[in-house]
Amino acid sequence: HKTFRLSTLLTVAAALLCAGLLPRSVNAQSTIVVNQRQPFDTVFSDECTGEDIQVVAEDHVLVIRKVAKDGTVYWEESINTHGTATGLTTGRVYVYNETIRFTRPAQPGPECGIGVDFSTRLRLVSKGAYPDLFVQYSFDLDISPSCEATFDETFASACRP
């Protein structure tokens, strides 16, 4: 039956599109300015537990310049990070899976040559029976005038109250 075949074709096409195997249409009002992945490996001293913690993860930074229906230009930015944190003395393993999204008005001028700095408290989820680990996370993103992104991140203790 033609209806069944069309239905099956649409279902398969939708699945391929969701899996990223077919090209998506691009909104004419959006421009991807930065789409960059960067692995990192750092160690910080957790004053709450007295242990050095190694964080191994990868950041995916995406900055999109968008135009609203009313003509207002704004930035939509996201940092998606996946990885692990491991106590170097105890071997305790924590999952680091965080997405931070924000939007802000675009400043007049070129699309690149911007910087973003922020800090937040993160929860690293324990992979065992021990408690989750809380850390203070700081992120510094600089996008050069040629749209090359560099970012630096730091972790510090954030003991539970």
Side-chain angles (χ1 to χ4, degrees):
H1 296 100
K2 289 183 182 178
T3 305
F4 174 74
R5 287 184 189 153
L6 179 59
S7 169
T8 303
L9 178 63
L10 291 174
T11 302
V12 170
L16 290 172
L17 181 64
C18 289
L21 299 176
L22 290 179
R24 295 182 179 168
S25 64
V26 178
N27 180 348
Q29 300 298 320
S30 298
T31 305
I32 295 175
V33 177
V34 174
N35 184 3
Q36 185 173 328
R37 294 179 185 272
Q38 177 175 307
F40 69 93
D41 184 337
T42 188
V43 175
F44 74 96
S45 181
D46 183 18
E47 295 173 9
C48 309
T49 63
E51 181 172 33
D52 286 343
I53 307 292
Q54 181 178 25
V55 180
V56 178
E58 181 180 76
D59 288 323
H60 179 206
V61 175
L62 185 62
V63 178
I64 302 172
R65 181 181 179 273
K66 290 193 167 189
V67 180
K69 289 181 182 179
D70 66 1
T72 304
V73 180
Y74 65 97
W75 299 105
E76 186 176 90
E77 301 164 341
S78 67
I79 300 113
N80 191 1
T81 305
H82 298 287
T84 58
T86 305
L88 295 180
T89 303
T90 62
R92 292 178 175 175
V93 178
Y94 305 88
V95 175
Y96 179 18
N97 186 16
E98 188 71 30
T99 299
I100 300 169
R101 291 188 175 109
F102 49 96
T103 59
R104 61 189 172 95
Q107 302 298 320
E111 292 179 342
C112 296
I114 61 172
V116 176
D117 298 316
F118 69 92
S119 182
T120 190
R121 187 171 186 234
L122 297 180
R123 178 184 199 152
L124 306 181
V125 179
S126 165
K127 287 187 76 174
Y130 39 91
D132 294 344
L133 181 65
F134 291 87
V135 298
Q136 188 64 35
Y137 171 75
S138 298
F139 185 83
D140 176 32
L141 169 65
D142 290 306
I143 302 174
S144 73
S146 62
C147 297
E148 293 295 320
T150 57
F151 32 101
D152 184 46
E153 49 208 315
T154 59
F155 297 84
S157 301
C159 302
R160 287 182 171 195

